[in-house]
Amino acid sequence: RKEVEQDPGPFNVPEGATVAFNCTYSNSASQSFFWYRQDCRKEPKLLMSVYSSGNEDGRFTAQLNRASQYISLLIRDSKLSDSATYLCVVNQGFQKLVFGTGTRLLVSP
Amino acid sequence: DGGITQSPKYLFRKEGQNVTLSCEQNLNHDAMYWYRQDPGQGLRLIYYSQIVNDFQKGDIAEGYSVSREKKESFPLTVTSAQKNPTAFYLCASRSQGNEQFFGPGTRLTVL
């Protein structure tokens, strides 16, 4: 089993749609969690950290379920500019980050 | 502007040559990291350094070497011993909040 698993997609959605991605992780001792966004041939950029209580940043909402060992990202009112690959990232301690392979999102007009 | 810079953006190497990729940060972060990314795969950790003059092997260190003589700089050398060096190389540094921030990357191609 991979340490961090994501559905590779692509998720094809129209502008204005709501889309959700899930990510599962295998190490129950994982300490912190992040979502990064990566555009084609660019570096990953931090989108948001994921807290146990869940957190929201504008149109983006992240949630953590430690019991089931999954993380989710919800994007509301999708924009064309949201088209990218979304990476689920898990900190397993000693500052070691484990990256998922990413979920590709395509938002169409 | 604070940030992480990497150079060069593109690098071509002949088989058997060593090459060094530059990574500099002015964020005053102690910890720095090198990853490689291959198509369809997640980022994989090559080396990391938590403090000046100290560094640790990551998951795929074979064929690579690093140094950390200054807080701002963490260069990566890809040696001829690395069997499949063509990849996208990303350098990152870590904030006190445990978030990692990436440089723009170097695309290395072996001819």
Side-chain angles (χ1 to χ4, degrees), chain A residues 32 34 36 38 41-44 46 49 87 91 94-97 99-101, chain B residues 33 35 37 40-43 50 59 88 90 94 98-100 102-104 107:
Chain A
S32 50
F34 308 92
Y36 280 75
Q38 187 172 26
R41 300 180 70 81
K42 300 285 190 181
E43 76 274 23
L46 180 66
S49 302
L87 306 177
N91 184 337
F94 301 104
Q95 286 72 48
K96 178 184 175 182
L97 294 189
F99 289 77
T101 53
Chain B
Y33 303 79
Y35 297 89
Q37 188 175 34
Q41 297 194 37
L43 275 69
Q50 299 204 61
D59 300 319
F88 187 36
L90 289 156
R94 178 173 57 83
N98 285 329
E99 297 155 337
Q100 291 193 13
F102 289 85
R107 288 198 180 273

Short mmCIF file of all heavy atoms in Angstrom, two decimals, chain A residues 32 34 36 38 41-44 46 49 87 91 94-97 99-101, chain B residues 33 35 37 40-43 50 59 88 90 94 98-100 102-104 107:
data_model
loop_
_atom_site.label_atom_id
_atom_site.label_comp_id
_atom_site.label_asym_id
_atom_site.label_seq_id
_atom_site.Cartn_x
_atom_site.Cartn_y
_atom_site.Cartn_z
N SER A 32 1.20 16.07 10.53
CA SER A 32 0.58 17.24 9.93
C SER A 32 0.36 16.98 8.45
O SER A 32 0.96 16.08 7.87
CB SER A 32 1.43 18.50 10.16
OG SER A 32 2.76 18.29 9.80
N PHE A 34 -1.01 18.66 4.47
CA PHE A 34 -1.04 19.85 3.63
C PHE A 34 -1.65 19.52 2.27
O PHE A 34 -1.56 18.37 1.81
CB PHE A 34 0.39 20.38 3.39
CG PHE A 34 1.19 20.58 4.65
CD1 PHE A 34 2.00 19.57 5.14
CD2 PHE A 34 1.13 21.78 5.34
CE1 PHE A 34 2.74 19.74 6.30
CE2 PHE A 34 1.87 21.97 6.50
CZ PHE A 34 2.67 20.94 6.98
N TYR A 36 -1.02 20.96 -1.60
CA TYR A 36 -0.24 21.82 -2.47
C TYR A 36 -0.90 21.80 -3.85
O TYR A 36 -1.54 20.83 -4.25
CB TYR A 36 1.20 21.29 -2.63
CG TYR A 36 2.13 21.64 -1.50
CD1 TYR A 36 2.05 20.97 -0.27
CD2 TYR A 36 3.12 22.61 -1.65
CE1 TYR A 36 2.92 21.28 0.76
CE2 TYR A 36 3.99 22.92 -0.62
CZ TYR A 36 3.89 22.25 0.57
OH TYR A 36 4.75 22.56 1.60
N GLN A 38 0.04 22.26 -7.95
CA GLN A 38 1.17 22.29 -8.88
C GLN A 38 0.63 22.50 -10.29
O GLN A 38 -0.16 21.70 -10.79
CB GLN A 38 1.99 20.99 -8.81
CG GLN A 38 3.27 21.06 -9.66
CD GLN A 38 4.17 19.86 -9.46
OE1 GLN A 38 3.74 18.78 -9.08
NE2 GLN A 38 5.47 20.05 -9.71
N ARG A 41 4.61 21.81 -15.17
CA ARG A 41 6.02 22.14 -15.31
C ARG A 41 6.47 23.26 -14.35
O ARG A 41 7.46 23.96 -14.59
CB ARG A 41 6.36 22.51 -16.75
CG ARG A 41 6.08 21.37 -17.72
CD ARG A 41 6.42 21.74 -19.14
NE ARG A 41 7.86 21.86 -19.35
CZ ARG A 41 8.67 20.85 -19.55
NH1 ARG A 41 8.22 19.62 -19.56
NH2 ARG A 41 9.96 21.07 -19.75
N LYS A 42 5.74 23.40 -13.25
CA LYS A 42 6.10 24.39 -12.22
C LYS A 42 6.31 23.69 -10.89
O LYS A 42 6.01 22.51 -10.75
CB LYS A 42 4.98 25.43 -12.06
CG LYS A 42 4.68 26.21 -13.32
CD LYS A 42 5.74 27.24 -13.60
CE LYS A 42 5.31 28.17 -14.72
NZ LYS A 42 6.35 29.17 -15.01
N GLU A 43 6.81 24.47 -9.91
CA GLU A 43 6.99 23.91 -8.59
C GLU A 43 5.67 23.82 -7.84
O GLU A 43 4.75 24.61 -8.10
CB GLU A 43 8.00 24.75 -7.80
CG GLU A 43 7.48 26.07 -7.26
CD GLU A 43 7.58 27.20 -8.26
OE1 GLU A 43 7.63 26.95 -9.49
OE2 GLU A 43 7.58 28.37 -7.80
N PRO A 44 5.56 22.91 -6.86
CA PRO A 44 4.37 22.88 -6.00
C PRO A 44 4.31 24.15 -5.15
O PRO A 44 5.34 24.64 -4.69
CB PRO A 44 4.59 21.65 -5.11
CG PRO A 44 5.64 20.85 -5.79
CD PRO A 44 6.51 21.83 -6.53
N LEU A 46 2.20 25.83 -1.79
CA LEU A 46 1.33 25.51 -0.67
C LEU A 46 -0.03 26.15 -0.84
O LEU A 46 -0.14 27.37 -1.01
CB LEU A 46 1.99 25.99 0.63
CG LEU A 46 1.20 25.72 1.90
CD1 LEU A 46 1.09 24.22 2.17
CD2 LEU A 46 1.85 26.42 3.09
N SER A 49 -2.67 24.35 4.85
CA SER A 49 -2.42 23.31 5.84
C SER A 49 -3.78 22.73 6.24
O SER A 49 -4.81 23.39 6.09
CB SER A 49 -1.71 23.89 7.05
OG SER A 49 -0.50 24.49 6.68
N LEU A 87 -1.75 18.20 -4.86
CA LEU A 87 -0.93 17.21 -4.17
C LEU A 87 -1.31 17.13 -2.70
O LEU A 87 -1.33 18.16 -2.01
CB LEU A 87 0.55 17.57 -4.28
CG LEU A 87 1.13 17.81 -5.68
CD1 LEU A 87 2.59 18.22 -5.57
CD2 LEU A 87 0.98 16.57 -6.52
N ASN A 91 3.11 14.83 6.71
CA ASN A 91 4.35 14.92 7.48
C ASN A 91 4.42 13.74 8.43
O ASN A 91 3.57 13.60 9.31
CB ASN A 91 4.38 16.24 8.26
CG ASN A 91 5.69 16.45 8.99
OD1 ASN A 91 6.40 15.50 9.29
ND2 ASN A 91 6.00 17.69 9.28
N PHE A 94 10.13 13.91 11.90
CA PHE A 94 11.48 14.28 11.49
C PHE A 94 11.41 15.17 10.24
O PHE A 94 12.29 15.15 9.40
CB PHE A 94 12.36 13.05 11.22
CG PHE A 94 12.50 12.17 12.41
CD1 PHE A 94 11.81 10.98 12.49
CD2 PHE A 94 13.31 12.55 13.46
CE1 PHE A 94 11.94 10.17 13.59
CE2 PHE A 94 13.43 11.74 14.58
CZ PHE A 94 12.75 10.54 14.65
N GLN A 95 10.31 15.88 10.15
CA GLN A 95 10.08 16.79 9.03
C GLN A 95 10.14 16.10 7.68
O GLN A 95 10.49 16.69 6.68
CB GLN A 95 11.08 17.95 9.07
CG GLN A 95 10.76 18.94 10.15
CD GLN A 95 11.04 18.44 11.56
OE1 GLN A 95 12.10 17.92 11.82
NE2 GLN A 95 10.07 18.57 12.44
N LYS A 96 9.83 14.82 7.64
CA LYS A 96 9.80 14.11 6.37
C LYS A 96 8.41 14.24 5.77
O LYS A 96 7.43 13.78 6.37
CB LYS A 96 10.15 12.63 6.55
CG LYS A 96 10.07 11.86 5.24
CD LYS A 96 10.31 10.38 5.43
CE LYS A 96 10.09 9.64 4.12
NZ LYS A 96 10.26 8.19 4.23
N LEU A 97 8.33 14.86 4.62
CA LEU A 97 7.05 14.97 3.92
C LEU A 97 6.93 13.85 2.90
O LEU A 97 7.88 13.56 2.18
CB LEU A 97 6.94 16.31 3.19
CG LEU A 97 6.89 17.57 4.03
CD1 LEU A 97 6.56 18.76 3.15
CD2 LEU A 97 5.87 17.45 5.15
N PHE A 99 4.69 12.78 -0.36
CA PHE A 99 3.81 13.39 -1.34
C PHE A 99 2.98 12.33 -2.07
O PHE A 99 3.51 11.30 -2.49
CB PHE A 99 4.63 14.15 -2.39
CG PHE A 99 5.26 15.40 -1.88
CD1 PHE A 99 6.39 15.37 -1.09
CD2 PHE A 99 4.71 16.63 -2.19
CE1 PHE A 99 6.97 16.53 -0.60
CE2 PHE A 99 5.29 17.81 -1.73
CZ PHE A 99 6.41 17.75 -0.93
N GLY A 100 1.70 12.63 -2.25
CA GLY A 100 0.91 11.83 -3.15
C GLY A 100 1.28 12.17 -4.59
O GLY A 100 1.98 13.16 -4.84
N THR A 101 0.79 11.36 -5.51
CA THR A 101 1.12 11.61 -6.92
C THR A 101 0.25 12.70 -7.53
O THR A 101 0.52 13.14 -8.64
CB THR A 101 0.98 10.32 -7.74
OG1 THR A 101 -0.32 9.78 -7.52
CG2 THR A 101 2.02 9.31 -7.33
N TYR B 33 15.77 21.03 1.69
CA TYR B 33 15.48 19.71 1.14
C TYR B 33 15.73 19.70 -0.37
O TYR B 33 15.54 20.71 -1.05
CB TYR B 33 14.00 19.36 1.37
CG TYR B 33 13.57 19.40 2.81
CD1 TYR B 33 13.30 20.61 3.43
CD2 TYR B 33 13.46 18.23 3.56
CE1 TYR B 33 12.92 20.66 4.76
CE2 TYR B 33 13.08 18.28 4.88
CZ TYR B 33 12.82 19.49 5.49
OH TYR B 33 12.46 19.53 6.81
N TYR B 35 14.38 17.31 -3.68
CA TYR B 35 13.50 16.28 -4.18
C TYR B 35 13.72 16.12 -5.68
O TYR B 35 14.16 17.06 -6.35
CB TYR B 35 12.02 16.67 -4.01
CG TYR B 35 11.56 16.84 -2.58
CD1 TYR B 35 11.67 18.08 -1.94
CD2 TYR B 35 10.99 15.78 -1.88
CE1 TYR B 35 11.22 18.25 -0.64
CE2 TYR B 35 10.53 15.95 -0.58
CZ TYR B 35 10.66 17.18 0.03
OH TYR B 35 10.21 17.34 1.32
N GLN B 37 11.33 14.84 -9.11
CA GLN B 37 9.98 14.49 -9.55
C GLN B 37 10.09 13.90 -10.96
O GLN B 37 10.68 14.49 -11.86
CB GLN B 37 9.07 15.71 -9.57
CG GLN B 37 7.61 15.37 -9.85
CD GLN B 37 6.70 16.58 -9.74
OE1 GLN B 37 7.09 17.70 -10.06
NE2 GLN B 37 5.47 16.36 -9.27
N GLY B 40 4.34 11.21 -13.48
CA GLY B 40 3.44 10.23 -12.90
C GLY B 40 3.81 9.76 -11.51
O GLY B 40 3.17 8.86 -10.96
N GLN B 41 4.85 10.36 -10.93
CA GLN B 41 5.27 9.95 -9.58
C GLN B 41 5.23 11.15 -8.64
O GLN B 41 5.35 12.29 -9.06
CB GLN B 41 6.68 9.39 -9.61
CG GLN B 41 6.82 8.12 -10.44
CD GLN B 41 8.14 7.42 -10.18
OE1 GLN B 41 8.61 7.39 -9.05
NE2 GLN B 41 8.72 6.85 -11.21
N GLY B 42 5.10 10.83 -7.37
CA GLY B 42 5.19 11.89 -6.37
C GLY B 42 6.62 12.33 -6.19
O GLY B 42 7.56 11.69 -6.69
N LEU B 43 6.80 13.42 -5.48
CA LEU B 43 8.15 13.90 -5.19
C LEU B 43 8.86 12.90 -4.28
O LEU B 43 8.26 12.36 -3.34
CB LEU B 43 8.09 15.26 -4.48
CG LEU B 43 7.97 16.49 -5.37
CD1 LEU B 43 6.62 16.56 -6.03
CD2 LEU B 43 8.22 17.74 -4.55
N GLN B 50 18.99 19.84 8.27
CA GLN B 50 18.22 20.54 9.28
C GLN B 50 18.97 21.72 9.87
O GLN B 50 18.39 22.57 10.53
CB GLN B 50 17.79 19.57 10.39
CG GLN B 50 16.92 18.45 9.85
CD GLN B 50 16.04 17.83 10.91
OE1 GLN B 50 15.21 18.50 11.50
NE2 GLN B 50 16.23 16.54 11.14
N ASP B 59 15.32 9.18 0.73
CA ASP B 59 14.93 7.86 0.25
C ASP B 59 15.72 7.40 -0.98
O ASP B 59 15.82 6.21 -1.25
CB ASP B 59 13.44 7.85 -0.09
CG ASP B 59 12.59 8.18 1.13
OD1 ASP B 59 12.91 7.68 2.22
OD2 ASP B 59 11.61 8.94 0.99
N PHE B 88 13.02 16.35 -12.90
CA PHE B 88 12.77 17.71 -12.44
C PHE B 88 13.22 17.75 -10.98
O PHE B 88 12.71 17.01 -10.14
CB PHE B 88 11.28 18.01 -12.59
CG PHE B 88 10.87 19.43 -12.30
CD1 PHE B 88 11.68 20.50 -12.62
CD2 PHE B 88 9.64 19.70 -11.71
CE1 PHE B 88 11.28 21.80 -12.38
CE2 PHE B 88 9.22 21.00 -11.47
CZ PHE B 88 10.05 22.05 -11.80
N LEU B 90 13.72 19.67 -7.41
CA LEU B 90 13.11 20.75 -6.62
C LEU B 90 13.79 20.88 -5.28
O LEU B 90 14.00 19.89 -4.57
CB LEU B 90 11.62 20.45 -6.40
CG LEU B 90 10.75 20.58 -7.66
CD1 LEU B 90 9.49 19.75 -7.53
CD2 LEU B 90 10.40 22.04 -7.90
N ARG B 94 12.04 24.84 4.91
CA ARG B 94 10.91 24.63 5.82
C ARG B 94 10.81 25.74 6.83
O ARG B 94 11.80 26.14 7.46
CB ARG B 94 11.07 23.30 6.55
CG ARG B 94 9.96 23.01 7.57
CD ARG B 94 10.11 21.60 8.13
NE ARG B 94 11.40 21.37 8.74
CZ ARG B 94 11.72 21.72 9.98
NH1 ARG B 94 10.84 22.33 10.74
NH2 ARG B 94 12.92 21.44 10.46
N ASN B 98 6.44 24.23 9.94
CA ASN B 98 6.58 22.93 9.25
C ASN B 98 6.06 22.92 7.83
O ASN B 98 5.87 21.85 7.26
CB ASN B 98 5.91 21.80 10.05
CG ASN B 98 6.75 21.39 11.24
OD1 ASN B 98 7.97 21.49 11.20
ND2 ASN B 98 6.10 20.98 12.30
N GLU B 99 5.81 24.09 7.26
CA GLU B 99 5.41 24.13 5.86
C GLU B 99 6.66 24.25 5.00
O GLU B 99 7.59 24.98 5.34
CB GLU B 99 4.49 25.33 5.64
CG GLU B 99 3.20 25.23 6.44
CD GLU B 99 2.58 26.59 6.72
OE1 GLU B 99 3.30 27.60 6.69
OE2 GLU B 99 1.36 26.62 6.98
N GLN B 100 6.66 23.53 3.89
CA GLN B 100 7.81 23.61 2.98
C GLN B 100 7.46 24.47 1.78
O GLN B 100 6.36 24.39 1.23
CB GLN B 100 8.23 22.21 2.52
CG GLN B 100 8.84 21.39 3.65
CD GLN B 100 9.56 20.14 3.16
OE1 GLN B 100 9.81 19.96 1.97
NE2 GLN B 100 9.88 19.26 4.09
N PHE B 102 8.91 25.79 -2.03
CA PHE B 102 9.76 25.28 -3.09
C PHE B 102 10.34 26.38 -3.97
O PHE B 102 9.72 27.42 -4.20
CB PHE B 102 8.96 24.33 -3.98
CG PHE B 102 8.64 23.03 -3.31
CD1 PHE B 102 7.54 22.91 -2.49
CD2 PHE B 102 9.46 21.93 -3.49
CE1 PHE B 102 7.26 21.70 -1.85
CE2 PHE B 102 9.19 20.72 -2.86
CZ PHE B 102 8.09 20.61 -2.04
N GLY B 103 11.53 26.09 -4.49
CA GLY B 103 12.09 26.90 -5.55
C GLY B 103 11.46 26.51 -6.88
O GLY B 103 10.68 25.56 -6.95
N PRO B 104 11.80 27.23 -7.95
CA PRO B 104 11.17 26.99 -9.26
C PRO B 104 11.63 25.73 -9.96
O PRO B 104 11.04 25.33 -10.96
CB PRO B 104 11.55 28.23 -10.06
CG PRO B 104 12.81 28.70 -9.43
CD PRO B 104 12.71 28.38 -7.98
N ARG B 107 15.32 21.53 -14.47
CA ARG B 107 15.05 20.34 -15.32
C ARG B 107 16.39 19.86 -15.86
O ARG B 107 17.04 20.55 -16.64
CB ARG B 107 14.12 20.69 -16.47
CG ARG B 107 12.72 20.93 -15.99
CD ARG B 107 11.68 20.87 -17.07
NE ARG B 107 10.39 21.11 -16.47
CZ ARG B 107 9.64 20.15 -15.92
NH1 ARG B 107 10.04 18.90 -15.97
NH2 ARG B 107 8.48 20.44 -15.37
#
